[in-house]
Amino acid sequence: GYNKFREWLLKITTLDIDNYVSLPSIANDSYSECFEGVFRVKNVVREYIFQAMVGGRTMLNGNLKSKIEMVLDDFDAVSLYPSAMFRLGGYLMGKPKLLTDGLLNMEWLNMVDGYIVDIKITKVGKERGFPLLSVKNDDGVRVFTNDVVGMVKTVDKISLEDLVEFQEVEFELIRGYYWNEGRNMELKSKIDFFFKERVKKKKDKNPIESVYKLLMNAAYGKTLLKPFESDSKIVSEKEREGFIARHYNQIQEMNELHNGSHQIKVLNVIDKHFNNAICGVEVLAMSKRIMNEVMCLAEDLGIKIYYQDTDSMHIPRENIPELAKAFRQKYNRELIGAGMGQFHSDFKSSVITDQDTIRATESVFVGKKCYIDKLEGQTLQGENAVDYHIRMKGCSGESILWWCEQNRKTPMELYHKLYDGERIELDQTCGGNKICFDYTKDYQVRTKEQFSRRVAF
C-alpha cells in the first residue's frame, strides 16, 4: 500500500513522499506555481489575518433542536473546497498594504483585489436561521448568531460582501490591510485539471482517483499553518544535564518516561514563522459563499433547512425542484449536478443497495454533528429496507448500537430520549468487545478497561 501510494504521487506530482511528513506539505509543493508572486507573512500581520479565519459552519437551524417526520435529502456540495478554489480563481499577489485614513472607505475597497478589515457592526438588517457571523462562547465553541450588533469583527472581502448581500449588515470601518497587485490565476487551471482527471479515473473505477481527491482537498491546508510554539525533545538520562545547560532558558516542561529517558518541552522562536494566511482565509470564505447562495435563497423562498454540516444541508426533498428553479433564475447556473459548485443528494447505505430509492423519512437533530436520519428504500432485489444515518461526535457508532442492543431500543428511540433532555451513558468499549487505547504522557499505550461518555443536550 505504501509503495503504491508513493508510485501514484510520483506519477501525478513528481514528488516523493519519502521527503515529506504530511499530505498538505506535498499538496502545497505540487501547487508551487500558484504561489508565484504571492507573499507570505509573519508576526503581527499573520496574526491579524488569522482573526478572519472561520472554518465551516456546522449548526442547527436557529441553534434549536428539532424532530422531523418528512422526506429529507442530505443535499451535499460537490467538492466544496476545490470548488471554492476554482471559483476564487487565484491567490492575491504582492505585499499587504496598510489602509490609511484616506483609504478607509468602501469606494476604495471595492476597487482593490482583496482586503482584511475590522468592522463594527451597527445593524443586522435581515436575521437568518443560519447566520453568517459567529462568536465563541465561554467553552470556546464557535456559535453562529444574529446578535452581533456593537461587536467588532475581522473579515475579508468575500465575507464582507456576503454580509451585505445576505444579511444587509451595516457597519463602520476601523482598520485593515489591502492587496491591489492582482491575483495569480494558476490556481483555477490547476484545480480544474485535477478535478477532471479525478472524474475520468473515477469513471474507469481506477483507485488513483482518491489521490487526486486528496491533493485537491489538502491544497490550502498548509497556508493556514500555525506557528509551533514549542517542540518536544526526547533526551537520554546521560544527555539530560548537558541539554538542560544548553537550553535552560527555553525549557517549559520536563517529564521522565517509562524507559528512563526524558521528554523535554522547549519553547520555539515563532517570529520567523511565515505562511500564506490570506490564501486560506479566502478559500474558506468562498466555500461559505457557495453554501450561503443556496441556503439564503431557500430561506427567502420560505424553504426550511434543518441542519448544516459544512458542505451539506438537510432540506425537504419536495422543495428542491423549486429551489433549483429559483437558483437558475438568480445566478444563471444549474444547482443540481456533479460539477464543481453544484449540489446532489448524498445519502449512502450498505443495507439499501438500490441507491436511487434512499430517502430519510424521520430525523432528529440534537446538536452540532449529533443527529440521526431513518433511511428507507429498497434492495436491488426490490425488497424494502431500513437503515440509519447516525452522527454523534465523540461517540462511536458501535457504542450507540451497543447501547440500543443492551436496552432493547432502536437508534431512533435513543435520539428521542436525547431530544427530551435525558442523559445517556455510552460505553465506548461496547462491554469490552471494542478495543480503546489510552496514550499516556510517558509514551506508553494501554488498553482501556472502561471508557464511557455521558451525553445530554
Side-chain angles (χ1 to χ4, degrees):
Y2 177 87
N3 289 331
K4 180 57 68 174
F5 185 58
R6 179 170 180 251
E7 175 192 319
W8 281 343
L9 272 164
L10 278 167
K11 181 179 178 180
I12 296 171
T13 68
T14 71
L15 301 175
D16 191 340
I17 63 173
D18 287 353
N19 300 325
Y20 294 87
V21 296
S22 69
L23 189 66
S25 299
I26 301 172
N28 194 69
D29 282 359
S30 71
Y31 287 81
S32 58
E33 67 270 30
C34 303
F35 293 98
E36 291 178 10
V38 179
F39 278 71
R40 295 185 299 155
V41 295
K42 68 171 186 174
N43 287 355
V44 173
V45 181
R46 183 197 65 228
E47 288 300 313
Y48 181 71
I49 295 172
F50 262 155
Q51 293 181 90
M53 181 186 69
V54 180
R57 182 174 55 200
T58 301
M59 66 177 291
L60 310 170
N61 190 319
N63 293 311
L64 299 172
K65 296 184 287 187
S66 60
K67 290 191 288 188
I68 313 299
E69 289 190 28
M70 66 168 69
V71 176
L72 296 181
D73 267 335
D74 188 20
F75 208 42
D76 187 71
V78 176
S79 299
L80 181 62
Y81 290 115
S83 295
M85 286 180 273
F86 178 82
R87 187 162 164 185
L88 184 64
Y91 294 135
L92 292 167
M93 295 195 298
K95 297 177 183 178
K97 302 175 180 68
L98 192 66
L99 280 164
T100 56
D101 290 341
L103 303 178
L104 205 57
N105 58 78
M106 289 311 300
E107 185 178 353
W108 168 257
L109 290 176
N110 287 334
M111 294 191 295
V112 302
D113 300 301
Y115 54 77
I116 296 283
V117 291
D118 280 350
I119 58 170
K120 183 177 181 180
I121 311 293
T122 57
K123 181 182 177 182
V124 177
K126 185 179 285 188
E127 295 195 350
R128 294 287 187 185
F130 294 88
L132 276 63
L133 285 174
S134 61
V135 297
K136 286 192 176 180
N137 63 18
D138 295 339
D139 296 323
V141 177
R142 187 175 293 280
V143 178
F144 287 85
T145 176
N146 293 299
D147 299 326
V148 291
V149 173
M151 292 185 182
V152 174
K153 308 297 292 184
T154 308
V155 293
D156 67 297
K157 181 176 184 177
I158 298 165
S159 299
L160 185 55
E161 289 173 349
D162 284 3
L163 286 170
V164 174
E165 168 72 18
F166 299 118
Q167 286 205 259
E168 299 173 6
V169 164
E170 295 180 10
F171 57 89
E172 297 172 1
L173 289 166
I174 299 174
R175 60 178 182 168
Y177 293 97
Y178 70 95
W179 288 257
N180 66 342
E181 297 179 38
R183 291 179 180 270
N184 179 334
M185 299 302 286
E186 289 293 326
L187 181 65
K188 186 172 185 175
S189 57
K190 189 83 173 181
I191 288 291
D192 187 47
F193 171 76
F194 277 165
F195 185 83
K196 287 176 179 175
E197 285 297 305
R198 186 197 173 204
V199 170
K200 286 182 200 172
K201 303 302 181 185
K202 203 171 180 181
K203 190 176 180 181
D204 296 337
K205 296 185 178 178
N206 187 335
I208 199 174
E209 63 90 9
S210 61
V211 178
Y212 285 101
K213 180 180 180 180
L214 288 169
L215 286 171
M216 286 192 293
N217 287 331
Y220 76 98
K222 190 88 171 179
T223 65
L224 293 168
L225 185 67
K226 293 182 178 179
F228 295 100
E229 296 184 356
S230 61
D231 199 5
S232 197
K233 305 287 186 182
I234 306 298
V235 180
S236 67
E237 176 62 31
K238 182 180 178 181
E239 298 169 324
R240 184 174 70 95
E241 285 191 16
F243 186 90
I244 292 173
R246 292 192 304 273
H247 302 279
Y248 67 92
N249 59 338
Q250 296 169 270
I251 293 174
Q252 190 177 27
E253 186 180 312
M254 202 162 73
N255 294 301
E256 186 173 354
L257 304 182
H258 62 279
N259 62 355
S261 58
H262 299 266
Q263 178 199 36
I264 303 179
K265 193 173 180 181
V266 294
L267 292 172
N268 279 336
V269 176
I270 64 171
D271 66 349
K272 294 180 182 178
H273 174 83
F274 287 82
N275 69 13
N276 295 110
I278 185 61
C279 302
V281 165
E282 286 202 314
V283 170
L284 290 171
M286 186 59 78
S287 71
K288 284 191 278 294
R289 172 173 288 182
I290 292 171
M291 300 301 294
N292 289 335
E293 287 176 343
V294 180
M295 297 178 69
C296 293
L297 179 59
E299 191 170 340
D300 291 339
L301 293 170
I303 299 170
K304 186 163 185 179
I305 295 169
Y306 294 94
Y307 178 80
Q308 180 191 0
D309 195 347
T310 304
D311 64 347
S312 66
M313 66 193 86
H314 275 65
I315 183 172
R317 177 175 288 186
E318 63 182 15
N319 295 132
I320 291 178
E322 177 192 357
L323 178 59
K325 181 181 177 181
F327 188 87
R328 187 184 308 115
Q329 291 172 344
K330 182 171 182 179
Y331 296 107
N332 197 29
R333 304 197 308 270
E334 290 298 325
L335 175 64
I336 300 171
M340 280 193 287
Q342 293 185 302
F343 288 72
H344 61 101
S345 184
D346 197 36
F347 280 128
K348 290 183 176 67
S349 169
S350 58
V351 177
I352 305 170
T353 47
D354 185 351
Q355 300 293 318
D356 294 335
T357 65
I358 297 179
R359 63 195 186 279
T361 56
E362 184 182 355
S363 305
V364 180
F365 305 100
V366 292
K368 283 187 177 189
K369 295 187 180 293
C370 296
Y371 64 92
I372 186 171
D373 298 297
K374 182 180 180 181
L375 304 180
E376 295 184 10
Q378 294 181 324
T379 64
L380 291 173
Q381 292 72 37
E383 298 174 351
N384 292 331
V386 174
D387 199 5
Y388 295 97
H389 179 233
I390 301 171
R391 292 290 180 272
M392 187 175 292
K393 188 174 182 180
C395 296
S396 67
E398 294 96 327
S399 69
I400 292 170
L401 296 176
W402 173 261
W403 185 94
C404 292
E405 182 183 327
Q406 299 303 302
N407 292 275
R408 297 181 181 179
K409 302 288 184 184
T410 65
M412 216 66 211
E413 290 174 314
L414 165 61
Y415 275 79
H416 279 289
K417 286 178 173 291
L418 292 172
Y419 178 87
D420 293 334
E422 286 193 40
R423 184 179 293 273
I424 305 290
E425 186 166 330
L426 297 171
D427 180 6
Q428 303 303 301
T429 70
C430 301
N433 295 300
K434 184 175 184 292
I435 300 298
C436 295
F437 293 120
D438 188 18
Y439 299 88
T440 64
K441 273 191 173 183
D442 62 350
Y443 290 89
Q444 293 190 74
V445 182
R446 298 190 181 95
T447 301
K448 289 186 177 182
E449 299 295 332
Q450 293 181 327
F451 180 31
S452 295
R453 291 191 187 276
R454 287 182 290 276
V455 184
F457 297 91

